[in-house]
Amino acid sequence: MARGVGWLVLTQASEKAIPWLFRDGVDALLAGAFGSVAHTALWIIALALASSVVRTASRVELFDVGRDVEFDLRNALLAKLHRLGPSFYRTLTTGDIMSRATNDLQQVRLLVGFGGLNLVNSVLAFASAIGLMIVVSPRLTLLALAPYPFIALFATLFARAMYRRSNLAQAALARLAERVQEDVSGVRVVRTHRLERRQAERFEAVNRESVEHNVALVTIRGLMFPVLMGLSSIGTLIVIYRGGLMVLAGSLSVGDLVAFNAYLAQLLWPTLALGYLLSIVTRGRASYERVADVLARTPLIDEDPDARAAGDEGALCVRALSYAVDGRAVLDRVSFEVPARGSLAVVGSTGSGKSTLAALLARLLPTPAGAVFLDGEDITRLTLRSLRHAVGYAQQEPFLFSTTVERNLEFALPPDVAIGTDEARARLRVAADEAAVIEEIEAMPERFETIVGERGVQLSGGQKQRLALARALLDAPRVLVLDDPLSAVDARTEARILSGIERAAEGRTLVLVTHRIAAARRADRIIVLEEGRVQESGTHDELLARGGHYAKLAARQRLERELEAEEGAVAEGLAEGSA
Amino acid sequence: MSAARVTLDRDAARRAGLDAVRAANVRPPMESGGEERVYDVALLRRLGPFARPSLVLFVVAGLMVPLIALSGLVQPLLLRAAVDAMVIEQSAAALSRVALLFGAAIVVEFIARFAQTYTLQLGGQRTVAAMRRATFEKVQRLPLAYLDRTPVGRVVTRVTNDTDAIGELFASGAVLGVADLMTVFVIFGFMLYLDVPLTLVTLAVLPVLLFVVQWVRVRARRVFRLVRAHIAQLNAYTAEQVQGMAVVQAFARERECLAEYREINAAYRDANRLSIRYDALLYSSVEGIAAVTVALVLWYGSIRAGWVEPGASAAYVGTVVAFYEYVQRLFTPIRDLSTKYTVLQSSLAAAERVLVLLDHPEEDAPRDRAASAPPPSVTGDAVLELRAVTFGYREGQRALEDVSLTLRRGERLAIVGPTGSGKTTITALAMRLYDVERGSVAIDGVDVRSLDRDALRERFAFVPQDVFLFAGTVGENVAAFAKTRDDERVRACLERVAVWDRVRERGGLEARVEERGANFSVGERQLIAFARALYLDREILVLDEATANVDSLTEARLERAVATLLEGRTAIVIAHRLSTIRNADRIVVLSKGRIVEEGTHDALLERGGLYARLHALQFAGEGSLASPAVPAGSEP
């Protein structure tokens, strides 16, 4: 910063020296001292070149500071976001977070870079220009500066009005977006109810409002310069008239007058900048507060100061685990045990708390202390990184990154496997095979190199789930927690995948959350969750014999499967008949 | 300072253990930051119709251009006159006269500038509003198939941000870039009038200026595109991290992702630094060249005064001073031309995207009725007929295959079948939300393709599965936003479906409905939608029963409401409730896009086919008739 200010001082000095030399030149020209004029001109040229260099340097130096601050803030923000859990993401939408990471950070950067540069520069410019003007003529200085308080005042008012009006215009644009969003989302209802005209009218009302706000905004934006430049021209007018009279009276040279006028002109931009500065400070401060708000959040899931690494057996024990969200109990004293290399299925209807249970096992939600134990160790006393390496988790609604299939899978490769090696590639293929997705990957336009997501190949829900499953298998965790990872996969493929997982899970502990009996029955033990409580537990046969909820569900699903088979047969029969 | 910061940052990185970490490699592909394209006049001409209503405003704005140029550029000339008044005439009266003229020029310039700004912005905003309106109305006429496959966000962007970017063309004054060029020429005119040789001296510097501006411009624009591409990637990465946070955390890949983010972030920062350098270079060198020009003018002035026309130095001082002013005014528009060109480019790119949408083919217009009228229906009381209809949402995928179906007047027809069997498709085709591939759909014996779309849809009342309420009031929603609304009847309809008490609690007909009806429960939303269908009282009711889980009390209410709704009506119901199916006059069983069974409840049960199986399943559990086990992606 100090160096930047140094450059600014030099910039101002050279900027002020040129009119001064010009003054000498004009006076010499008038006096007929032509040799001295040429001399002055050479000096001006030399100074002009020097000033180009220092001016460049000062801008670079000071704007870079803003960019550096932005860089650091961005990194800090993501690091913080990584540590925050679902309770935070429920309070802020992705859009909110993004607007803080983009618009707000930009405002903060402007505050530090542009704001800093202009504050220092304006102070320097005022001091030097007014100082030199006083040297030329104190009386004329007083007169010429008369419009400047007004310029400053107007600049401030304009900046403030612009800020307010641009907020209004932005809000109007957001309302327009809402209208379009509603119209497109409800397009079927709009069309069948012939609401097109009515929708267009409602849109037009907001559209008109938007025009009003925008015209108000751009009028201010457009009015600003004519007004401020008009005011500054009044200063020039004063200089020409009063200064001219002084020249006529002999108390001022023409050169003095020209230099004086130049200094006055050089005041215009710093004055405007000060007006801008006020609004940048207001905005920047509000933005900084929004960014700082995120940075100041305390993560609910925090590492114990003397946390230990997780063991490598994989025995899971849950004791009286209760969990509530907003005062509503989601899990109520759930207890079960899975020995190392054993398997457990969790069955239950929607809203029974099974997904919450799955997330708590990997401490992806704030797991209470003393409830979940891994190899006899309370998981809240383990380092997060080792715990999550030990407990692999595949969620029901999988998220894939918008990059290639290969990179999505490599994401989960253990850190000791180097990417791009034959071993790494072999592992990817094995995992993709176990998740029964390899054939589809091979059928994609660029196989493992195919980009998935919005700008790539669109995957079906089932394909996404299977890719996510392959990813979970790659991490090679001791405990594999699968949260209904195959809800969008048909029953036949599911059976294939489950066999694959069983092979892969050999020597691994498996917790499978599912709504399918066909999948659950493969587990050593099954628990049935209902409204957050363990309602039944036992092996598949035990539960069937009991004739409870599980048995009912099993009967129903058997019927469904038969039906599906039959329906397929009927449809095929019809197809043959019509062919 | 910056060096210190970088070191600090590196320390922080080491503390976080990032040096040893393998960066994650999941960044989204980098987009190009926009192509450098030359947009032709044809594109601008396409904007013409939207601007035409504001033509007067634009003409006024245009007329102000020469006025501003003259009133502004006459000022240095007056300055010379003032200097002359001081050093040659040495008369206070002459100085006063000049000052008066100078004041007049200031006032004229101010008024002209203000008039130009105001008319231009008003016209610009009206043009944007007209485009926006046209775009919105266009969206309403786009085929559903297009909207099905286009993300909602993209459509929203076309109507809002893209049109806004076109507005920036006016707001930033880029549209006046031509006027700036004109100013440059006027300045040369004034200079030539003042002094030809001095103008030539100034002109000699111009190639240097143009070279520098061009040199920087080419590089700055390349860097600018780079910056845009980097920021797009950075933002996309942030958004994906937020959306996929559960994955990042579950795999404990926070450090790896942060390491990758820092790489992208650093690339963005470096691109910006480069941009800062070019920007600084442009500003400084233009200032520098201006100063050099001033020096040359001064120096040449002395040569002229000294050797060529000795003794005229007093006359020369005013000219040199005026030139000093002109040089300052000359360089600014040349420097800013590049910025304005950038705005112009991005505005035109946005305009092009909007125009592409506006050019998209619309839903087909009704065909000539006489030419395509199918033979009159065999059964005289058939209201709706599907004849051998085949249809698919996507190429190579069939949603319906050779389906024939007749709905008779006063008949309640239930369609039953597993998810993805094509039930909803049948109703969509009946209302001509899509056009059939083969076969035909007829209303009263007339092909729907030859009916006026509004007239066709006016015959249906439609209750979709995902009930959609619009932001507004309950009354507006029930009356489907009709201009005139019978409040008594609206209330009666709400009462008939037994939701009036709930609505009254929230403030009656004027109760606010938030976006998509978010402030009403699922059950309430459905009941309000039923009331809407009752109020509309159309010829044919299309009801797509919801399968959503509701509590048993609500379920009982819904069941009664459905019965009320169907009373004495011609209706197609995609049925999930047993009571609804039982009350139907006829049941059509659909499987994989084909009709497999048809008949009354009792007859179908007796037959022991697919329907009987579905029915047995209904009793085995408490769920709906639709089977949840369906391969994903079978229906859009």
Side-chain angles (χ1 to χ4, degrees):
Chain A
M1 195 87 183
R3 206 164 62 200
V5 174
W7 286 121
L8 272 184
V9 170
L10 287 178
T11 308
Q12 282 298 334
S14 61
E15 195 179 278
K16 294 296 170 298
I18 290 172
W20 199 258
L21 286 169
F22 193 69
R23 175 190 91 132
D24 291 346
V26 168
D27 285 342
L29 183 65
L30 197 57
F34 302 124
S36 141
V37 174
H39 195 70
T40 308
L42 272 175
W43 266 109
I44 291 180
I45 291 174
L47 257 176
L49 297 177
S51 109
S52 286
V53 174
V54 292
R55 190 190 296 272
T56 308
S58 67
R59 284 180 78 103
V60 165
E61 194 72 39
L62 283 157
F63 280 131
D64 274 1
V65 173
R67 291 293 171 186
D68 288 337
V69 167
E70 186 190 6
F71 175 77
D72 287 347
L73 268 178
R74 267 183 205 284
N75 291 336
L77 196 62
L78 185 71
K80 187 60 169 195
L81 289 174
H82 276 151
R83 297 186 56 212
L84 292 167
S87 59
F88 167 77
Y89 292 101
R90 260 203 309 277
T91 59
L92 278 188
T93 63
T94 306
D96 273 334
I97 297 172
M98 285 308 292
S99 112
R100 290 174 203 220
T102 53
N103 299 342
D104 285 335
L105 270 186
Q106 193 180 331
Q107 291 303 331
V108 174
R109 193 238 312 148
L110 274 180
L111 177 65
V112 178
F114 186 85
L117 171 77
N118 279 300
L119 182 66
V120 177
N121 193 42
S122 295
V123 170
L124 287 175
F126 272 107
S128 56
I130 294 176
L132 287 167
M133 282 159 74
I134 289 174
V135 170
V136 172
S137 161
R139 207 164 76 89
L140 194 55
T141 306
L142 212 60
L143 285 171
L145 287 181
Y148 270 73
F150 295 100
I151 295 180
L153 179 71
F154 273 106
T156 312
L157 290 178
F158 275 129
R160 209 175 288 165
M162 240 160 76
Y163 176 49
R164 209 177 44 238
R165 291 181 183 193
S166 100
N167 279 349
L168 284 174
Q170 279 304 315
L173 198 65
R175 276 201 300 283
L176 278 175
E178 263 168 36
R179 296 253 53 87
V180 183
Q181 181 105 33
E182 181 189 83
D183 189 67
V184 177
S185 312
V187 63
R188 281 173 174 76
V189 179
V190 169
R191 295 208 178 162
T192 50
H193 288 90
R194 300 190 315 115
L195 290 176
E196 290 97 335
R197 203 162 307 146
R198 165 66 202 177
Q199 284 290 85
E201 279 165 18
R202 299 180 79 192
F203 178 82
E204 188 50 24
V206 187
N207 196 11
R208 258 199 299 273
E209 220 180 285
S210 151
V211 170
E212 272 168 37
H213 287 310
N214 269 304
V215 169
L217 171 67
V218 291
T219 305
I220 278 287
R221 210 164 125 178
L223 203 56
M224 189 163 151
F225 279 94
V227 168
L228 297 177
M229 280 165 66
L231 281 173
S232 116
S233 297
I234 290 174
T236 312
L237 181 61
I238 293 172
V239 172
I240 291 172
Y241 184 62
R242 296 307 303 250
L245 289 181
M246 285 165 79
V247 171
L248 283 177
S251 61
L252 208 67
S253 77
V254 177
D256 282 339
L257 187 65
V258 172
F260 191 94
N261 198 26
Y263 290 139
L264 190 63
Q266 284 179 358
L267 276 184
L268 180 60
W269 171 244
T271 312
L272 298 189
L274 276 184
Y276 264 126
L277 205 63
L278 270 171
S279 100
I280 282 175
V281 169
T282 322
R283 260 194 268 189
R285 226 175 33 203
S287 287
Y288 182 73
E289 269 162 30
R290 278 191 290 273
V291 176
D293 164 54
V294 176
L295 291 176
R297 302 272 181 133
T298 12
L300 286 180
I301 304 169
D302 221 347
E303 227 168 61
D304 200 274
D306 28 60
R308 270 177 286 176
D312 54 4
E313 274 300 301
L316 199 62
C317 175
V318 173
R319 274 184 226 145
L321 170 61
S322 295
Y323 186 76
V325 175
D326 302 331
R328 196 178 57 84
V330 181
L331 290 178
D332 187 9
R333 281 163 291 151
V334 171
S335 298
F336 59 83
E337 229 168 293
V338 195
R341 292 171 286 282
S343 62
L344 174 86
V346 183
V347 177
S349 53
T350 315
S352 60
K354 41 186 208 305
S355 290
T356 307
L357 175 61
L360 285 171
L361 295 181
R363 223 182 151 199
L364 290 163
L365 289 171
T367 311
V372 181
F373 299 85
L374 183 66
D375 294 335
E377 202 62 70
D378 185 341
I379 62 164
T380 58
R381 313 280 300 269
L382 301 174
T383 64
L384 277 176
R385 205 168 160 85
S386 74
L387 170 69
R388 287 174 185 166
H389 268 304
V391 181
Y393 166 81
Q395 70 199 120
Q396 188 176 5
E397 274 158 34
F399 175 86
L400 296 175
F401 295 98
S402 311
T403 180
T404 63
V405 171
E406 187 170 32
R407 288 181 183 173
N408 264 295
L409 295 178
E410 279 170 353
F411 183 74
L413 266 184
D416 54 335
V417 181
I419 281 172
T421 56
D422 287 344
E423 193 206 341
R425 269 193 291 273
R427 283 206 192 196
L428 297 193
R429 295 191 70 86
V430 170
D433 188 36
E434 276 164 358
V437 69
I438 188 135
E439 282 151 37
E440 277 146 295
I441 295 175
E442 293 290 356
M444 284 178 191
E446 288 165 75
R447 293 192 283 280
F448 275 86
E449 301 288 316
T450 310
I451 292 173
V452 297
E454 212 189 302
R455 270 175 287 143
V457 173
Q458 302 275 338
L459 300 178
S460 75
Q463 284 172 327
K464 273 194 225 162
Q465 284 191 336
R466 280 173 288 144
L467 268 181
L469 181 63
R471 181 170 64 187
L473 293 175
L474 268 168
D475 201 24
R478 307 302 310 155
V479 181
L480 190 57
V481 179
L482 304 178
D483 179 12
D484 217 350
L486 302 168
S487 58
V489 172
D490 64 86
R492 207 175 305 170
T493 314
E494 185 187 55
R496 226 182 94 199
I497 296 170
L498 286 172
S499 312
I501 292 177
E502 268 165 20
R503 260 181 283 128
E506 237 165 81
R508 203 169 282 174
T509 313
L510 177 69
V511 176
L512 176 68
V513 174
T514 181
H515 69 272
R516 287 214 190 129
I517 302 298
R521 64 182 302 172
R522 294 160 167 268
D524 302 341
R525 271 184 83 75
I526 297 156
I527 62 171
V528 180
L529 270 190
E530 232 17 86
E531 289 176 358
R533 288 194 199 143
V534 179
Q535 207 183 38
E536 300 170 29
S537 75
T539 65
H540 175 71
D541 294 333
E542 282 167 16
L543 288 175
L544 276 192
R546 226 173 120 157
H549 184 85
Y550 184 84
K552 257 190 239 160
L553 203 63
R556 183 178 146 75
Q557 290 191 6
R558 196 172 51 242
L559 254 168
E560 264 175 15
R561 263 203 319 284
E562 282 171 24
L563 189 66
E564 212 177 302
E566 185 175 326
E567 190 204 330
V570 171
E572 273 160 35
L574 278 168
E576 276 160 29
S578 66
Chain B
M1 161 85 205
S2 60
R5 184 171 291 280
V6 170
T7 330
L8 235 163
D9 193 64
R10 217 172 287 140
D11 284 346
R14 198 167 305 126
R15 268 202 307 281
L18 287 177
D19 282 352
V21 163
R22 168 178 86 197
N25 195 11
V26 289
R27 63 186 81 181
M30 189 132 148
E31 284 177 285
S32 76
E35 291 292 302
E36 178 109 348
R37 285 194 46 189
V38 180
Y39 292 98
D40 47 11
V41 188
L43 186 69
L44 280 174
R45 201 177 298 140
R46 294 277 318 266
L47 301 180
F50 302 105
R52 194 150 304 137
S54 313
L55 193 63
V56 178
L57 293 172
F58 290 126
V59 168
V60 172
L63 287 177
M64 291 302 131
V65 171
L67 204 55
I68 291 167
L70 288 176
S71 57
L73 297 177
V74 82
Q75 287 169 22
L77 216 57
L78 289 172
L79 194 60
R80 183 182 76 147
V83 173
D84 286 351
M86 292 171 222
V87 296
I88 299 174
E89 297 156 47
Q90 305 200 337
S91 134
L95 185 64
S96 308
R97 229 178 10 252
V98 173
L100 209 64
L101 282 173
F102 199 93
I106 292 172
V107 172
V108 170
E109 189 187 3
F110 170 73
I111 293 172
R113 268 191 198 276
F114 177 64
Q116 182 185 57
T117 304
Y118 192 74
T119 50
L120 186 67
Q121 302 308 343
L122 192 61
Q125 283 302 319
R126 284 189 181 162
T127 306
V128 168
M131 275 197 93
R132 207 169 260 162
R133 187 164 48 235
T135 318
F136 185 81
E137 281 168 6
K138 176 75 187 191
V139 169
Q140 309 232 316
R141 293 191 304 268
L142 285 171
L144 264 190
Y146 174 84
L147 294 176
D148 284 343
R149 62 166 190 268
T150 312
V152 181
R154 198 171 301 164
V155 180
V156 174
T157 306
R158 292 294 165 277
V159 184
T160 54
N161 296 352
D162 282 341
T163 49
D164 209 44
I166 300 171
E168 195 57 20
L169 195 64
F170 301 97
S172 70
V175 81
L176 290 176
V178 184
D180 278 354
L181 270 182
M182 207 179 108
T183 309
V184 169
F185 286 109
V186 174
I187 290 177
F188 277 116
F190 274 106
M191 285 174 141
L192 285 171
Y193 164 75
L194 272 177
D195 192 292
V196 177
L198 266 184
T199 310
L200 292 178
V201 169
T202 313
L203 268 177
V205 182
L206 210 57
V208 181
L209 177 74
L210 290 179
F211 173 78
V212 170
V213 168
Q214 179 67 15
W215 190 87
V216 175
R217 192 184 73 101
V218 169
R219 281 157 189 80
R221 256 208 254 132
R222 207 179 300 142
V223 173
F224 181 62
R225 283 202 298 279
L226 198 64
V227 167
R228 268 209 303 219
H230 280 305
I231 186 70
Q233 197 183 33
L234 196 65
N235 286 341
Y237 197 85
T238 314
E240 288 216 329
Q241 287 287 306
V242 172
Q243 285 158 6
M245 191 52 79
V247 172
V248 176
Q249 290 178 347
F251 286 95
R253 293 294 187 270
E254 292 93 341
R255 283 194 241 163
E256 287 81 354
C257 288
L258 189 59
E260 178 170 35
Y261 185 71
R262 295 171 65 89
E263 286 172 21
I264 304 172
N265 200 359
Y268 169 62
R269 180 198 56 196
D270 294 344
N272 264 314
R273 289 184 154 181
L274 209 53
S275 168
I276 289 169
R277 276 149 188 72
Y278 283 126
D279 231 36
L281 199 61
L282 180 68
Y283 272 78
S284 317
S285 42
V286 170
E287 297 270 341
I289 292 169
V292 170
T293 314
V294 165
L296 287 178
V297 166
L298 187 65
W299 179 59
Y300 188 74
S302 75
I303 293 175
R304 285 281 301 279
W307 290 283
V308 186
E309 302 165 65
S313 63
Y316 237 79
V317 171
T319 306
V320 167
V321 169
F323 259 79
Y324 178 85
E325 289 285 317
Y326 279 128
V327 166
Q328 308 285 349
R329 285 171 192 249
L330 179 64
F331 283 18
T332 314
I334 294 177
R335 182 193 65 197
D336 292 346
L337 218 52
S338 174
T339 320
K340 289 191 173 172
Y341 186 70
T342 309
V343 174
L344 191 73
Q345 283 265 327
S346 73
S347 294
L348 289 181
E352 197 181 35
R353 287 194 293 273
V354 173
L355 287 172
V356 166
L357 182 81
L358 285 174
D359 287 341
H360 196 278
E362 301 183 1
E363 291 184 296
D364 291 335
R367 284 188 203 161
D368 181 12
R369 187 168 170 159
S372 64
S377 131
V378 191
T379 39
D381 58 350
V383 181
L384 172 73
E385 268 188 291
L386 271 72
R387 293 182 198 145
V389 166
T390 295
F391 172 78
Y393 290 99
R394 263 175 283 175
E395 200 95 7
Q397 270 191 359
R398 285 282 159 78
L400 288 181
E401 183 102 46
D402 197 27
V403 166
S404 294
L405 184 84
T406 310
L407 175 71
R408 297 188 189 87
R409 201 167 300 284
E411 185 183 36
R412 281 169 296 177
L413 180 71
I415 305 178
V416 168
T419 312
S421 57
K423 303 182 299 263
T424 306
T425 311
I426 289 187
T427 58
L429 291 177
M431 295 179 284
R432 211 191 159 198
L433 289 174
Y434 302 89
D435 276 333
V436 296
E437 252 171 65
R438 282 208 304 273
S440 66
V441 178
I443 296 272
D444 285 342
V446 183
D447 194 314
V448 291
R449 282 169 292 190
S450 56
L451 283 170
D452 174 59
R453 208 176 290 273
D454 281 358
L456 168 70
R457 289 180 185 160
E458 198 147 69
R459 304 176 76 154
F460 292 93
F462 174 50
V463 182
Q465 189 169 27
D466 306 319
V467 166
F468 197 95
L469 296 186
F470 295 89
T473 67
V474 171
E476 283 174 333
N477 268 286
V478 172
F481 297 95
K483 283 253 159 51
T484 52
R485 156 180 114 199
D486 183 345
D487 281 349
E488 266 317 296
R489 216 157 65 75
V490 170
R491 228 179 73 186
C493 292
L494 287 165
E495 271 168 3
R496 278 178 68 193
V497 296
V499 73
W500 170 242
D501 47 345
R502 302 246 184 123
V503 169
R504 200 180 40 204
E505 277 166 26
R506 292 165 182 265
L509 297 185
E510 297 309 314
R512 296 296 321 158
V513 177
E514 280 171 19
E515 218 63 41
R516 286 160 177 258
N519 55 338
F520 285 83
S521 74
V522 179
E524 287 168 340
R525 285 205 290 262
Q526 289 198 9
L527 291 170
I528 291 172
F530 290 168
R532 174 162 65 195
L534 275 177
Y535 182 89
L536 291 175
D537 193 28
R538 301 270 166 80
E539 198 179 334
I540 305 167
L541 173 72
V542 176
L543 170 63
D544 198 343
E545 266 193 325
T547 49
N549 292 328
V550 288
D551 59 88
S552 49
L553 201 74
T554 312
E555 175 59 34
R557 254 180 204 235
L558 284 171
E559 200 173 308
R560 277 198 301 277
V562 170
T564 311
L565 188 59
L566 290 174
E567 229 166 56
R569 214 165 271 278
T570 309
I572 300 185
V573 188
I574 297 168
H576 298 297
R577 281 191 192 82
L578 193 64
S579 58
T580 316
I581 303 167
R582 272 194 178 140
N583 290 336
D585 297 313
R586 199 154 48 96
I587 300 161
V588 167
V589 185
L590 219 57
S591 171
K592 305 201 166 159
R594 289 162 179 278
I595 293 178
V596 292
E597 286 175 336
E598 201 174 333
T600 62
H601 175 69
D602 293 335
L604 286 174
L605 270 190
E606 208 161 304
R607 218 181 124 170
L610 183 59
Y611 180 80
R613 288 302 221 158
L614 283 165
H615 185 257
L617 186 60
Q618 168 77 8
F619 280 110
E622 301 85 353
S624 67
L625 257 181
S627 156
V630 188
S634 55
E635 211 170 13

